[in-house]
PDB file of all heavy atoms in Angstrom:
ATOM      1  N   THR A 317      12.859 -21.660  22.765  1.00  0.00           N
ATOM      2  CA  THR A 317      13.856 -21.618  23.821  1.00  0.00           C
ATOM      3  C   THR A 317      13.238 -22.085  25.173  1.00  0.00           C
ATOM      4  O   THR A 317      13.824 -22.862  25.901  1.00  0.00           O
ATOM      5  CB  THR A 317      14.445 -20.217  23.974  1.00  0.00           C
ATOM      6  OG1 THR A 317      15.077 -19.837  22.756  1.00  0.00           O
ATOM      7  CG2 THR A 317      15.459 -20.189  25.126  1.00  0.00           C
ATOM      8  N   THR A 318      12.017 -21.546  25.420  1.00  0.00           N
ATOM      9  CA  THR A 318      11.305 -21.948  26.654  1.00  0.00           C
ATOM     10  C   THR A 318      11.048 -23.438  26.662  1.00  0.00           C
ATOM     11  O   THR A 318      11.240 -24.113  27.706  1.00  0.00           O
ATOM     12  CB  THR A 318       9.957 -21.181  26.751  1.00  0.00           C
ATOM     13  OG1 THR A 318      10.229 -19.787  26.813  1.00  0.00           O
ATOM     14  CG2 THR A 318       9.204 -21.607  28.010  1.00  0.00           C
ATOM     15  N   ARG A 319      10.625 -23.986  25.537  1.00  0.00           N
ATOM     16  CA  ARG A 319      10.302 -25.414  25.452  1.00  0.00           C
ATOM     17  C   ARG A 319      11.599 -26.250  25.626  1.00  0.00           C
ATOM     18  O   ARG A 319      11.589 -27.255  26.320  1.00  0.00           O
ATOM     19  CB  ARG A 319       9.637 -25.736  24.111  1.00  0.00           C
ATOM     20  CG  ARG A 319       9.320 -27.229  23.967  1.00  0.00           C
ATOM     21  CD  ARG A 319       8.528 -27.473  22.692  1.00  0.00           C
ATOM     22  NE  ARG A 319       8.397 -28.913  22.447  1.00  0.00           N
ATOM     23  CZ  ARG A 319       7.767 -29.430  21.407  1.00  0.00           C
ATOM     24  NH1 ARG A 319       7.178 -28.645  20.521  1.00  0.00           N
ATOM     25  NH2 ARG A 319       7.709 -30.736  21.223  1.00  0.00           N
ATOM     26  N   GLN A 320      12.675 -25.823  24.989  1.00  0.00           N
ATOM     27  CA  GLN A 320      13.930 -26.555  25.078  1.00  0.00           C
ATOM     28  C   GLN A 320      14.440 -26.567  26.530  1.00  0.00           C
ATOM     29  O   GLN A 320      14.924 -27.576  27.019  1.00  0.00           O
ATOM     30  CB  GLN A 320      14.981 -25.942  24.135  1.00  0.00           C
ATOM     31  CG  GLN A 320      14.706 -26.249  22.681  1.00  0.00           C
ATOM     32  CD  GLN A 320      15.750 -25.642  21.746  1.00  0.00           C
ATOM     33  OE1 GLN A 320      16.272 -24.545  22.056  1.00  0.00           O
ATOM     34  NE2 GLN A 320      16.043 -26.303  20.668  1.00  0.00           N
ATOM     35  N   ASN A 321      14.328 -25.405  27.201  1.00  0.00           N
ATOM     36  CA  ASN A 321      14.751 -25.313  28.592  1.00  0.00           C
ATOM     37  C   ASN A 321      13.897 -26.226  29.470  1.00  0.00           C
ATOM     38  O   ASN A 321      14.414 -26.862  30.414  1.00  0.00           O
ATOM     39  CB  ASN A 321      14.676 -23.874  29.103  1.00  0.00           C
ATOM     40  CG  ASN A 321      15.720 -22.997  28.463  1.00  0.00           C
ATOM     41  OD1 ASN A 321      16.744 -23.481  27.969  1.00  0.00           O
ATOM     42  ND2 ASN A 321      15.476 -21.694  28.428  1.00  0.00           N
ATOM     43  N   ALA A 322      12.566 -26.232  29.170  1.00  0.00           N
ATOM     44  CA  ALA A 322      11.685 -27.091  29.931  1.00  0.00           C
ATOM     45  C   ALA A 322      12.030 -28.585  29.713  1.00  0.00           C
ATOM     46  O   ALA A 322      12.010 -29.396  30.659  1.00  0.00           O
ATOM     47  CB  ALA A 322      10.241 -26.851  29.544  1.00  0.00           C
ATOM     48  N   ASP A 323      12.361 -28.938  28.497  1.00  0.00           N
ATOM     49  CA  ASP A 323      12.767 -30.313  28.176  1.00  0.00           C
ATOM     50  C   ASP A 323      14.049 -30.701  28.931  1.00  0.00           C
ATOM     51  O   ASP A 323      14.196 -31.833  29.417  1.00  0.00           O
ATOM     52  CB  ASP A 323      12.972 -30.502  26.702  1.00  0.00           C
ATOM     53  CG  ASP A 323      11.628 -30.485  25.905  1.00  0.00           C
ATOM     54  OD1 ASP A 323      10.593 -30.624  26.565  1.00  0.00           O
ATOM     55  OD2 ASP A 323      11.675 -30.328  24.677  1.00  0.00           O
ATOM     56  N   LYS A 324      14.981 -29.756  29.030  1.00  0.00           N
ATOM     57  CA  LYS A 324      16.233 -29.983  29.724  1.00  0.00           C
ATOM     58  C   LYS A 324      15.987 -30.231  31.217  1.00  0.00           C
ATOM     59  O   LYS A 324      16.570 -31.144  31.810  1.00  0.00           O
ATOM     60  CB  LYS A 324      17.198 -28.821  29.511  1.00  0.00           C
ATOM     61  CG  LYS A 324      17.796 -28.723  28.124  1.00  0.00           C
ATOM     62  CD  LYS A 324      18.714 -27.525  28.012  1.00  0.00           C
ATOM     63  CE  LYS A 324      19.281 -27.403  26.595  1.00  0.00           C
ATOM     64  NZ  LYS A 324      20.131 -26.185  26.459  1.00  0.00           N
ATOM     65  N   ARG A 325      15.103 -29.391  31.763  1.00  0.00           N
ATOM     66  CA  ARG A 325      14.815 -29.524  33.204  1.00  0.00           C
ATOM     67  C   ARG A 325      14.143 -30.874  33.466  1.00  0.00           C
ATOM     68  O   ARG A 325      14.409 -31.545  34.448  1.00  0.00           O
ATOM     69  CB  ARG A 325      13.914 -28.367  33.652  1.00  0.00           C
ATOM     70  CG  ARG A 325      14.631 -27.032  33.789  1.00  0.00           C
ATOM     71  CD  ARG A 325      13.820 -26.044  34.616  1.00  0.00           C
ATOM     72  NE  ARG A 325      12.577 -25.714  33.932  1.00  0.00           N
ATOM     73  CZ  ARG A 325      12.444 -24.725  33.041  1.00  0.00           C
ATOM     74  NH1 ARG A 325      13.489 -23.967  32.718  1.00  0.00           N
ATOM     75  NH2 ARG A 325      11.278 -24.464  32.486  1.00  0.00           N
ATOM     76  N   LEU A 326      13.195 -31.209  32.562  1.00  0.00           N
ATOM     77  CA  LEU A 326      12.503 -32.523  32.693  1.00  0.00           C
ATOM     78  C   LEU A 326      13.483 -33.669  32.604  1.00  0.00           C
ATOM     79  O   LEU A 326      13.383 -34.641  33.394  1.00  0.00           O
ATOM     80  CB  LEU A 326      11.413 -32.630  31.646  1.00  0.00           C
ATOM     81  CG  LEU A 326      10.571 -33.907  31.641  1.00  0.00           C
ATOM     82  CD1 LEU A 326       9.825 -34.051  32.979  1.00  0.00           C
ATOM     83  CD2 LEU A 326       9.607 -33.913  30.466  1.00  0.00           C
ATOM     84  N   HIS A 327      14.424 -33.590  31.671  1.00  0.00           N
ATOM     85  CA  HIS A 327      15.415 -34.627  31.514  1.00  0.00           C
ATOM     86  C   HIS A 327      16.289 -34.738  32.754  1.00  0.00           C
ATOM     87  O   HIS A 327      16.588 -35.863  33.217  1.00  0.00           O
ATOM     88  CB  HIS A 327      16.276 -34.316  30.288  1.00  0.00           C
ATOM     89  CG  HIS A 327      17.363 -35.331  30.025  1.00  0.00           C
ATOM     90  ND1 HIS A 327      17.090 -36.619  29.587  1.00  0.00           N
ATOM     91  CD2 HIS A 327      18.728 -35.277  30.202  1.00  0.00           C
ATOM     92  CE1 HIS A 327      18.212 -37.304  29.484  1.00  0.00           C
ATOM     93  NE2 HIS A 327      19.235 -36.489  29.826  1.00  0.00           N
ATOM     94  N   SER A 328      16.621 -33.586  33.320  1.00  0.00           N
ATOM     95  CA  SER A 328      17.477 -33.599  34.544  1.00  0.00           C
ATOM     96  C   SER A 328      16.754 -34.268  35.675  1.00  0.00           C
ATOM     97  O   SER A 328      17.351 -35.021  36.486  1.00  0.00           O
ATOM     98  CB  SER A 328      17.862 -32.161  34.891  1.00  0.00           C
ATOM     99  OG  SER A 328      18.629 -31.553  33.883  1.00  0.00           O
ATOM    100  N   ILE A 329      15.432 -33.950  35.820  1.00  0.00           N
ATOM    101  CA  ILE A 329      14.649 -34.556  36.892  1.00  0.00           C
ATOM    102  C   ILE A 329      14.561 -36.060  36.764  1.00  0.00           C
ATOM    103  O   ILE A 329      14.721 -36.799  37.716  1.00  0.00           O
ATOM    104  CB  ILE A 329      13.226 -33.933  36.901  1.00  0.00           C
ATOM    105  CG1 ILE A 329      13.315 -32.458  37.315  1.00  0.00           C
ATOM    106  CG2 ILE A 329      12.310 -34.696  37.861  1.00  0.00           C
ATOM    107  CD1 ILE A 329      11.985 -31.704  37.158  1.00  0.00           C
TER     108      ILE A 329
END
Side-chain angles (χ1 to χ4, degrees):
T317 300
T318 299
R319 179 174 171 180
Q320 287 179 327
N321 290 338
D323 288 345
K324 288 179 181 177
R325 286 195 296 271
L326 180 62
H327 180 70
S328 297
I329 292 171

